[in-house]
PDB file of all heavy atoms in Angstrom:
ATOM      1  N   PRO D   2    -152.165 -82.982 241.935  1.00  0.00           N
ATOM      2  CA  PRO D   2    -152.689 -81.902 242.781  1.00  0.00           C
ATOM      3  C   PRO D   2    -153.166 -80.723 241.940  1.00  0.00           C
ATOM      4  O   PRO D   2    -152.611 -80.442 240.873  1.00  0.00           O
ATOM      5  CB  PRO D   2    -151.489 -81.524 243.644  1.00  0.00           C
ATOM      6  CG  PRO D   2    -150.295 -81.995 242.904  1.00  0.00           C
ATOM      7  CD  PRO D   2    -150.731 -83.211 242.147  1.00  0.00           C
ATOM      8  N   ARG D   3    -154.212 -80.091 242.420  1.00  0.00           N
ATOM      9  CA  ARG D   3    -154.797 -78.968 241.674  1.00  0.00           C
ATOM     10  C   ARG D   3    -155.055 -77.833 242.649  1.00  0.00           C
ATOM     11  O   ARG D   3    -155.518 -78.053 243.767  1.00  0.00           O
ATOM     12  CB  ARG D   3    -156.099 -79.424 241.015  1.00  0.00           C
ATOM     13  CG  ARG D   3    -156.816 -78.344 240.213  1.00  0.00           C
ATOM     14  CD  ARG D   3    -158.086 -78.899 239.563  1.00  0.00           C
ATOM     15  NE  ARG D   3    -157.764 -79.944 238.604  1.00  0.00           N
ATOM     16  CZ  ARG D   3    -158.110 -81.216 238.752  1.00  0.00           C
ATOM     17  NH1 ARG D   3    -158.798 -81.598 239.823  1.00  0.00           N
ATOM     18  NH2 ARG D   3    -157.778 -82.107 237.847  1.00  0.00           N
ATOM     19  N   ILE D   4    -154.721 -76.610 242.249  1.00  0.00           N
ATOM     20  CA  ILE D   4    -155.035 -75.453 243.085  1.00  0.00           C
ATOM     21  C   ILE D   4    -155.957 -74.518 242.319  1.00  0.00           C
ATOM     22  O   ILE D   4    -155.889 -74.413 241.086  1.00  0.00           O
ATOM     23  CB  ILE D   4    -153.772 -74.693 243.556  1.00  0.00           C
ATOM     24  CG1 ILE D   4    -152.974 -74.136 242.361  1.00  0.00           C
ATOM     25  CG2 ILE D   4    -152.897 -75.583 244.414  1.00  0.00           C
ATOM     26  CD1 ILE D   4    -151.824 -73.238 242.782  1.00  0.00           C
ATOM     27  N   ALA D   5    -156.826 -73.870 243.053  1.00  0.00           N
ATOM     28  CA  ALA D   5    -157.746 -72.892 242.485  1.00  0.00           C
ATOM     29  C   ALA D   5    -157.461 -71.538 243.120  1.00  0.00           C
ATOM     30  O   ALA D   5    -157.417 -71.418 244.342  1.00  0.00           O
ATOM     31  CB  ALA D   5    -159.191 -73.305 242.740  1.00  0.00           C
ATOM     32  N   ILE D   6    -157.240 -70.533 242.290  1.00  0.00           N
ATOM     33  CA  ILE D   6    -156.917 -69.190 242.757  1.00  0.00           C
ATOM     34  C   ILE D   6    -158.053 -68.245 242.382  1.00  0.00           C
ATOM     35  O   ILE D   6    -158.486 -68.214 241.228  1.00  0.00           O
ATOM     36  CB  ILE D   6    -155.600 -68.688 242.123  1.00  0.00           C
ATOM     37  CG1 ILE D   6    -154.452 -69.677 242.380  1.00  0.00           C
ATOM     38  CG2 ILE D   6    -155.256 -67.294 242.646  1.00  0.00           C
ATOM     39  CD1 ILE D   6    -154.092 -69.866 243.826  1.00  0.00           C
ATOM     40  N   VAL D   7    -158.528 -67.494 243.355  1.00  0.00           N
ATOM     41  CA  VAL D   7    -159.502 -66.429 243.098  1.00  0.00           C
ATOM     42  C   VAL D   7    -158.834 -65.106 243.433  1.00  0.00           C
ATOM     43  O   VAL D   7    -158.501 -64.845 244.600  1.00  0.00           O
ATOM     44  CB  VAL D   7    -160.785 -66.609 243.930  1.00  0.00           C
ATOM     45  CG1 VAL D   7    -161.737 -65.438 243.671  1.00  0.00           C
ATOM     46  CG2 VAL D   7    -161.468 -67.927 243.600  1.00  0.00           C
ATOM     47  N   ARG D   8    -158.622 -64.282 242.435  1.00  0.00           N
ATOM     48  CA  ARG D   8    -157.980 -62.968 242.646  1.00  0.00           C
ATOM     49  C   ARG D   8    -159.062 -61.976 243.064  1.00  0.00           C
ATOM     50  O   ARG D   8    -159.783 -61.427 242.231  1.00  0.00           O
ATOM     51  CB  ARG D   8    -157.263 -62.523 241.373  1.00  0.00           C
ATOM     52  CG  ARG D   8    -156.198 -63.520 240.919  1.00  0.00           C
ATOM     53  CD  ARG D   8    -155.677 -63.128 239.541  1.00  0.00           C
ATOM     54  NE  ARG D   8    -154.893 -64.198 238.955  1.00  0.00           N
ATOM     55  CZ  ARG D   8    -153.570 -64.213 238.860  1.00  0.00           C
ATOM     56  NH1 ARG D   8    -152.873 -63.196 239.336  1.00  0.00           N
ATOM     57  NH2 ARG D   8    -152.935 -65.221 238.291  1.00  0.00           N
ATOM     58  N   LYS D   9    -159.127 -61.729 244.356  1.00  0.00           N
ATOM     59  CA  LYS D   9    -160.233 -60.939 244.900  1.00  0.00           C
ATOM     60  C   LYS D   9    -160.211 -59.488 244.430  1.00  0.00           C
ATOM     61  O   LYS D   9    -161.257 -58.844 244.364  1.00  0.00           O
ATOM     62  CB  LYS D   9    -160.209 -61.015 246.428  1.00  0.00           C
ATOM     63  CG  LYS D   9    -160.500 -62.421 246.951  1.00  0.00           C
ATOM     64  CD  LYS D   9    -160.550 -62.451 248.470  1.00  0.00           C
ATOM     65  CE  LYS D   9    -160.876 -63.860 248.961  1.00  0.00           C
ATOM     66  NZ  LYS D   9    -160.962 -63.919 250.442  1.00  0.00           N
ATOM     67  N   ASP D  10    -159.002 -58.990 244.106  1.00  0.00           N
ATOM     68  CA  ASP D  10    -158.940 -57.604 243.649  1.00  0.00           C
ATOM     69  C   ASP D  10    -159.551 -57.446 242.254  1.00  0.00           C
ATOM     70  O   ASP D  10    -159.929 -56.346 241.855  1.00  0.00           O
ATOM     71  CB  ASP D  10    -157.488 -57.113 243.651  1.00  0.00           C
ATOM     72  CG  ASP D  10    -156.590 -57.940 242.750  1.00  0.00           C
ATOM     73  OD1 ASP D  10    -156.824 -59.154 242.616  1.00  0.00           O
ATOM     74  OD2 ASP D  10    -155.624 -57.379 242.179  1.00  0.00           O
ATOM     75  N   ARG D  11    -159.667 -58.552 241.511  1.00  0.00           N
ATOM     76  CA  ARG D  11    -160.267 -58.489 240.172  1.00  0.00           C
ATOM     77  C   ARG D  11    -161.731 -58.920 240.181  1.00  0.00           C
ATOM     78  O   ARG D  11    -162.524 -58.473 239.349  1.00  0.00           O
ATOM     79  CB  ARG D  11    -159.504 -59.397 239.210  1.00  0.00           C
ATOM     80  CG  ARG D  11    -158.040 -59.059 239.023  1.00  0.00           C
ATOM     81  CD  ARG D  11    -157.413 -60.036 238.026  1.00  0.00           C
ATOM     82  NE  ARG D  11    -155.965 -59.857 237.910  1.00  0.00           N
ATOM     83  CZ  ARG D  11    -155.192 -60.615 237.148  1.00  0.00           C
ATOM     84  NH1 ARG D  11    -155.728 -61.608 236.446  1.00  0.00           N
ATOM     85  NH2 ARG D  11    -153.885 -60.396 237.096  1.00  0.00           N
ATOM     86  N   CYS D  12    -162.071 -59.823 241.090  1.00  0.00           N
ATOM     87  CA  CYS D  12    -163.406 -60.429 241.098  1.00  0.00           C
ATOM     88  C   CYS D  12    -164.497 -59.374 241.340  1.00  0.00           C
ATOM     89  O   CYS D  12    -164.393 -58.555 242.245  1.00  0.00           O
ATOM     90  CB  CYS D  12    -163.466 -61.510 242.177  1.00  0.00           C
ATOM     91  SG  CYS D  12    -165.077 -62.315 242.302  1.00  0.00           S
ATOM     92  N   ASN D  13    -165.561 -59.420 240.522  1.00  0.00           N
ATOM     93  CA  ASN D  13    -166.669 -58.462 240.626  1.00  0.00           C
ATOM     94  C   ASN D  13    -167.977 -59.198 240.354  1.00  0.00           C
ATOM     95  O   ASN D  13    -168.472 -59.206 239.235  1.00  0.00           O
ATOM     96  CB  ASN D  13    -166.453 -57.319 239.621  1.00  0.00           C
ATOM     97  CG  ASN D  13    -167.543 -56.261 239.708  1.00  0.00           C
ATOM     98  OD1 ASN D  13    -168.436 -56.339 240.542  1.00  0.00           O
ATOM     99  ND2 ASN D  13    -167.468 -55.282 238.821  1.00  0.00           N
ATOM    100  N   PRO D  14    -168.531 -59.862 241.381  1.00  0.00           N
ATOM    101  CA  PRO D  14    -169.747 -60.667 241.173  1.00  0.00           C
ATOM    102  C   PRO D  14    -170.902 -59.875 240.561  1.00  0.00           C
ATOM    103  O   PRO D  14    -171.668 -60.409 239.751  1.00  0.00           O
ATOM    104  CB  PRO D  14    -170.088 -61.153 242.586  1.00  0.00           C
ATOM    105  CG  PRO D  14    -168.779 -61.166 243.305  1.00  0.00           C
ATOM    106  CD  PRO D  14    -168.027 -59.981 242.766  1.00  0.00           C
ATOM    107  N   GLN D  15    -171.057 -58.604 240.934  1.00  0.00           N
ATOM    108  CA  GLN D  15    -172.137 -57.805 240.360  1.00  0.00           C
ATOM    109  C   GLN D  15    -171.898 -57.547 238.880  1.00  0.00           C
ATOM    110  O   GLN D  15    -172.826 -57.555 238.075  1.00  0.00           O
ATOM    111  CB  GLN D  15    -172.247 -56.471 241.103  1.00  0.00           C
ATOM    112  CG  GLN D  15    -172.792 -56.609 242.523  1.00  0.00           C
ATOM    113  CD  GLN D  15    -172.922 -55.265 243.211  1.00  0.00           C
ATOM    114  OE1 GLN D  15    -172.097 -54.378 243.007  1.00  0.00           O
ATOM    115  NE2 GLN D  15    -173.961 -55.120 244.029  1.00  0.00           N
ATOM    116  N   GLY D  16    -170.620 -57.347 238.505  1.00  0.00           N
ATOM    117  CA  GLY D  16    -170.288 -57.035 237.114  1.00  0.00           C
ATOM    118  C   GLY D  16    -170.513 -58.193 236.159  1.00  0.00           C
ATOM    119  O   GLY D  16    -170.638 -57.983 234.947  1.00  0.00           O
ATOM    120  N   CYS D  17    -170.557 -59.435 236.687  1.00  0.00           N
ATOM    121  CA  CYS D  17    -170.761 -60.594 235.801  1.00  0.00           C
ATOM    122  C   CYS D  17    -172.181 -61.139 235.898  1.00  0.00           C
ATOM    123  O   CYS D  17    -172.459 -62.254 235.441  1.00  0.00           O
ATOM    124  CB  CYS D  17    -169.746 -61.699 236.110  1.00  0.00           C
ATOM    125  SG  CYS D  17    -169.952 -62.473 237.733  1.00  0.00           S
ATOM    126  N   GLY D  18    -173.051 -60.356 236.521  1.00  0.00           N
ATOM    127  CA  GLY D  18    -174.447 -60.781 236.601  1.00  0.00           C
ATOM    128  C   GLY D  18    -174.742 -61.705 237.762  1.00  0.00           C
ATOM    129  O   GLY D  18    -175.811 -62.326 237.811  1.00  0.00           O
ATOM    130  N   GLY D  19    -173.790 -61.824 238.697  1.00  0.00           N
ATOM    131  CA  GLY D  19    -174.015 -62.640 239.882  1.00  0.00           C
ATOM    132  C   GLY D  19    -173.399 -64.013 239.797  1.00  0.00           C
ATOM    133  O   GLY D  19    -174.062 -64.967 239.382  1.00  0.00           O
ATOM    134  N   TYR D  20    -172.113 -64.120 240.133  1.00  0.00           N
ATOM    135  CA  TYR D  20    -171.405 -65.397 240.242  1.00  0.00           C
ATOM    136  C   TYR D  20    -171.523 -66.236 238.962  1.00  0.00           C
ATOM    137  O   TYR D  20    -172.002 -67.375 238.978  1.00  0.00           O
ATOM    138  CB  TYR D  20    -171.900 -66.185 241.456  1.00  0.00           C
ATOM    139  CG  TYR D  20    -171.750 -65.423 242.750  1.00  0.00           C
ATOM    140  CD1 TYR D  20    -172.828 -64.787 243.342  1.00  0.00           C
ATOM    141  CD2 TYR D  20    -170.499 -65.311 243.363  1.00  0.00           C
ATOM    142  CE1 TYR D  20    -172.688 -64.070 244.521  1.00  0.00           C
ATOM    143  CE2 TYR D  20    -170.346 -64.594 244.547  1.00  0.00           C
ATOM    144  CZ  TYR D  20    -171.434 -63.970 245.119  1.00  0.00           C
ATOM    145  OH  TYR D  20    -171.294 -63.272 246.277  1.00  0.00           O
ATOM    146  N   LEU D  21    -171.091 -65.661 237.851  1.00  0.00           N
ATOM    147  CA  LEU D  21    -171.105 -66.385 236.578  1.00  0.00           C
ATOM    148  C   LEU D  21    -170.318 -67.687 236.685  1.00  0.00           C
ATOM    149  O   LEU D  21    -170.710 -68.716 236.120  1.00  0.00           O
ATOM    150  CB  LEU D  21    -170.508 -65.497 235.474  1.00  0.00           C
ATOM    151  CG  LEU D  21    -170.362 -66.139 234.091  1.00  0.00           C
ATOM    152  CD1 LEU D  21    -171.737 -66.512 233.524  1.00  0.00           C
ATOM    153  CD2 LEU D  21    -169.637 -65.190 233.129  1.00  0.00           C
ATOM    154  N   CYS D  22    -169.191 -67.659 237.433  1.00  0.00           N
ATOM    155  CA  CYS D  22    -168.360 -68.855 237.571  1.00  0.00           C
ATOM    156  C   CYS D  22    -169.153 -70.018 238.156  1.00  0.00           C
ATOM    157  O   CYS D  22    -169.025 -71.172 237.714  1.00  0.00           O
ATOM    158  CB  CYS D  22    -167.128 -68.559 238.425  1.00  0.00           C
ATOM    159  SG  CYS D  22    -167.497 -67.799 240.028  1.00  0.00           S
ATOM    160  N   ALA D  23    -169.984 -69.732 239.149  1.00  0.00           N
ATOM    161  CA  ALA D  23    -170.794 -70.780 239.780  1.00  0.00           C
ATOM    162  C   ALA D  23    -171.880 -71.267 238.837  1.00  0.00           C
ATOM    163  O   ALA D  23    -172.208 -72.467 238.805  1.00  0.00           O
ATOM    164  CB  ALA D  23    -171.406 -70.255 241.081  1.00  0.00           C
ATOM    165  N   ARG D  24    -172.428 -70.357 238.040  1.00  0.00           N
ATOM    166  CA  ARG D  24    -173.539 -70.729 237.150  1.00  0.00           C
ATOM    167  C   ARG D  24    -173.085 -71.609 235.987  1.00  0.00           C
ATOM    168  O   ARG D  24    -173.873 -72.384 235.455  1.00  0.00           O
ATOM    169  CB  ARG D  24    -174.215 -69.462 236.629  1.00  0.00           C
ATOM    170  CG  ARG D  24    -175.044 -68.745 237.697  1.00  0.00           C
ATOM    171  CD  ARG D  24    -175.843 -67.588 237.152  1.00  0.00           C
ATOM    172  NE  ARG D  24    -175.047 -66.371 237.013  1.00  0.00           N
ATOM    173  CZ  ARG D  24    -174.845 -65.721 235.888  1.00  0.00           C
ATOM    174  NH1 ARG D  24    -175.338 -66.201 234.758  1.00  0.00           N
ATOM    175  NH2 ARG D  24    -174.131 -64.610 235.857  1.00  0.00           N
ATOM    176  N   VAL D  25    -171.791 -71.460 235.568  1.00  0.00           N
ATOM    177  CA  VAL D  25    -171.321 -72.259 234.427  1.00  0.00           C
ATOM    178  C   VAL D  25    -170.552 -73.500 234.863  1.00  0.00           C
ATOM    179  O   VAL D  25    -170.130 -74.296 234.020  1.00  0.00           O
ATOM    180  CB  VAL D  25    -170.427 -71.412 233.481  1.00  0.00           C
ATOM    181  CG1 VAL D  25    -171.200 -70.225 232.934  1.00  0.00           C
ATOM    182  CG2 VAL D  25    -169.146 -70.956 234.186  1.00  0.00           C
ATOM    183  N   CYS D  26    -170.345 -73.701 236.144  1.00  0.00           N
ATOM    184  CA  CYS D  26    -169.554 -74.833 236.644  1.00  0.00           C
ATOM    185  C   CYS D  26    -170.318 -76.154 236.472  1.00  0.00           C
ATOM    186  O   CYS D  26    -171.418 -76.317 237.028  1.00  0.00           O
ATOM    187  CB  CYS D  26    -169.218 -74.621 238.123  1.00  0.00           C
ATOM    188  SG  CYS D  26    -168.367 -76.035 238.873  1.00  0.00           S
ATOM    189  N   PRO D  27    -169.768 -77.119 235.727  1.00  0.00           N
ATOM    190  CA  PRO D  27    -170.459 -78.409 235.535  1.00  0.00           C
ATOM    191  C   PRO D  27    -170.695 -79.163 236.842  1.00  0.00           C
ATOM    192  O   PRO D  27    -171.710 -79.860 236.988  1.00  0.00           O
ATOM    193  CB  PRO D  27    -169.494 -79.196 234.635  1.00  0.00           C
ATOM    194  CG  PRO D  27    -168.650 -78.162 233.963  1.00  0.00           C
ATOM    195  CD  PRO D  27    -168.517 -77.051 234.959  1.00  0.00           C
ATOM    196  N   VAL D  28    -169.773 -79.042 237.809  1.00  0.00           N
ATOM    197  CA  VAL D  28    -169.948 -79.730 239.089  1.00  0.00           C
ATOM    198  C   VAL D  28    -171.118 -79.131 239.850  1.00  0.00           C
ATOM    199  O   VAL D  28    -171.928 -79.850 240.460  1.00  0.00           O
ATOM    200  CB  VAL D  28    -168.642 -79.660 239.925  1.00  0.00           C
ATOM    201  CG1 VAL D  28    -168.818 -80.376 241.253  1.00  0.00           C
ATOM    202  CG2 VAL D  28    -167.480 -80.265 239.144  1.00  0.00           C
ATOM    203  N   ASN D  29    -171.247 -77.800 239.817  1.00  0.00           N
ATOM    204  CA  ASN D  29    -172.403 -77.144 240.441  1.00  0.00           C
ATOM    205  C   ASN D  29    -173.709 -77.602 239.790  1.00  0.00           C
ATOM    206  O   ASN D  29    -174.731 -77.789 240.462  1.00  0.00           O
ATOM    207  CB  ASN D  29    -172.288 -75.625 240.339  1.00  0.00           C
ATOM    208  CG  ASN D  29    -171.407 -75.034 241.420  1.00  0.00           C
ATOM    209  OD1 ASN D  29    -170.548 -75.723 241.957  1.00  0.00           O
ATOM    210  ND2 ASN D  29    -171.605 -73.769 241.737  1.00  0.00           N
ATOM    211  N   MET D  30    -173.676 -77.792 238.467  1.00  0.00           N
ATOM    212  CA  MET D  30    -174.885 -78.217 237.742  1.00  0.00           C
ATOM    213  C   MET D  30    -175.340 -79.608 238.177  1.00  0.00           C
ATOM    214  O   MET D  30    -176.517 -79.958 238.023  1.00  0.00           O
ATOM    215  CB  MET D  30    -174.613 -78.201 236.237  1.00  0.00           C
ATOM    216  CG  MET D  30    -174.418 -76.811 235.658  1.00  0.00           C
ATOM    217  SD  MET D  30    -174.026 -76.864 233.887  1.00  0.00           S
ATOM    218  CE  MET D  30    -173.745 -75.123 233.548  1.00  0.00           C
ATOM    219  N   GLU D  31    -174.408 -80.400 238.726  1.00  0.00           N
ATOM    220  CA  GLU D  31    -174.754 -81.725 239.224  1.00  0.00           C
ATOM    221  C   GLU D  31    -175.310 -81.670 240.651  1.00  0.00           C
ATOM    222  O   GLU D  31    -175.601 -82.705 241.257  1.00  0.00           O
ATOM    223  CB  GLU D  31    -173.524 -82.628 239.197  1.00  0.00           C
ATOM    224  CG  GLU D  31    -173.016 -82.927 237.789  1.00  0.00           C
ATOM    225  CD  GLU D  31    -171.726 -83.742 237.808  1.00  0.00           C
ATOM    226  OE1 GLU D  31    -171.232 -84.031 238.925  1.00  0.00           O
ATOM    227  OE2 GLU D  31    -171.214 -84.064 236.723  1.00  0.00           O
TER     228      GLU D  31
END
Side-chain angles (χ1 to χ4, degrees):
R3 180 179 297 114
I4 62 173
I6 305 297
V7 177
R8 301 171 193 255
K9 294 183 179 181
D10 60 327
R11 300 181 186 177
C12 179
N13 182 3
Q15 289 182 324
C17 67
Y20 303 101
L21 176 63
C22 52
R24 287 187 278 121
V25 300
C26 175
V28 180
N29 278 24
M30 292 177 184
E31 294 176 358

